[in-house]
Amino acid sequence: MPIPEDVTGEEIDKDVRQELQSLPKTLAEDVARNLVMVARLIDEDPEGAYGYSRVALRLASRVAAVREAAGFAAYASQKYSEALAEFRAARRMTGNAELWPLMADCERGLGRPEKALDMAGAPEVHKLDKAGQVEMRLVAAGARRDMGQLDAAIVTLQSPELASHSVQPWTARLRYAYADALLAVGREAEAREWFAKAVEADRDGSTDASDRLAELDGVEFTDALDEDGADGADNADGASGSASPSSPESGEDDGKNED
């Protein structure tokens, strides 16, 4: 696959670069450039990222960082079986538990929420840092929702991290998930309160909490209309241009992103 000339491979994290030192210099450079492309594309073009990850995997399958990158690219492309296999391989190589929530969410993606819940209660969870434990809680709540256990999902999300007034990188997503779970059982007033709290914490736009809040308040978003009568065409169709935001926690943002 073509790689832009401005991609040198030096852009990768120093820890990954150190891992690649076990490879011949030219091979390490090729792998590094493909990993840079994975990182560049994974949000906007998951399939493209997946393609570059497969090249890196073919070149250096015994490097943990490569297996991990391949896992993330497969996960972003909703290839959950492949993602799970790559995450397992990376974990075997490193002994690190940080991929455990993602592995559990892959189980959800494969239609096995019960397995995800089993993983949420495993000893590996205690080895996770705070962010990882919150992620595991999100995955467990999503698994409960997959199984139709909506009230249990709400209880799963209730935690000191949810009640905390401090804002962490995961705070917006946790509040969003809780709001969405409340809305799923018809507790609209409480859901609105928590969507508003999610907006307060969402400094980088990682959720669509502001859209969900506006939706609850009955606000409709319309596209700007040109001067050539496009409004007439829209009205003829009965289209309002209202926003239709998606829900990360309705089975996705607790891990499966489509969190």
Side-chain angles (χ1 to χ4, degrees), residues 98-209:
E98 66 182 13
L99 295 172
W100 195 252
L102 284 162
M103 292 166 60
D105 206 42
C106 286
E107 296 287 0
R108 286 186 58 214
L110 293 169
R112 301 192 292 249
E114 298 89 350
K115 177 61 175 176
L117 285 178
D118 287 344
M119 293 179 69
E124 284 80 358
V125 176
H126 300 296
K127 301 176 184 177
L128 298 171
D129 61 14
K130 182 62 68 177
Q133 290 177 6
V134 170
E135 193 67 31
M136 192 72 247
R137 189 177 292 275
L138 287 166
V139 173
R144 292 290 186 190
R145 292 186 65 168
D146 293 343
M147 299 166 66
Q149 301 173 3
L150 302 183
D151 289 328
I154 291 172
V155 172
T156 298
L157 293 167
Q158 292 170 344
S159 61
E161 293 80 19
L162 180 67
S164 175
H165 294 294
S166 67
V167 175
Q168 304 296 331
W170 37 260
T171 300
R173 293 179 61 241
L174 182 59
R175 292 177 180 179
Y176 184 106
Y178 189 59
D180 198 47
L182 290 168
L183 192 60
V185 297
R187 293 161 62 176
E188 188 170 310
E190 292 172 84
R192 189 201 177 283
E193 175 187 351
W194 282 97
F195 275 128
K197 289 181 178 180
V199 171
E200 292 174 0
D202 195 358
R203 296 168 178 171
D204 59 0
S206 62
T207 74
D208 63 353

Side-chain angles (χ1 to χ4, degrees), residues 41 47-48 56 59 68-69 80 108 128 144 173 196 227 235 242:
L41 297 176
E47 287 295 335
L59 295 173
E68 186 172 325
Y80 297 118
R108 286 186 58 214
L128 298 171
R144 292 290 186 190
R173 293 179 61 241
E227 297 178 357
N235 289 337
S242 59

Side-chain angles (χ1 to χ4, degrees), residues 54-89:
R54 300 307 295 180
V55 175
L57 192 60
R58 187 171 67 249
L59 295 173
S61 63
R62 295 187 179 183
V63 176
V66 171
R67 302 303 289 264
E68 186 172 325
F72 276 107
Y75 179 83
S77 301
Q78 299 184 10
K79 296 175 175 64
Y80 297 118
S81 182
E82 285 187 43
L84 183 56
E86 297 303 338
F87 287 147
R88 283 174 173 168

Side-chain angles (χ1 to χ4, degrees), residues 13 27 31 34 37 51 125 131 144 152 162 174 223:
D13 182 86
L27 179 59
V31 173
N34 278 281
M37 293 306 297
V125 176
R144 292 290 186 190
L162 180 67
L174 182 59
D223 297 326

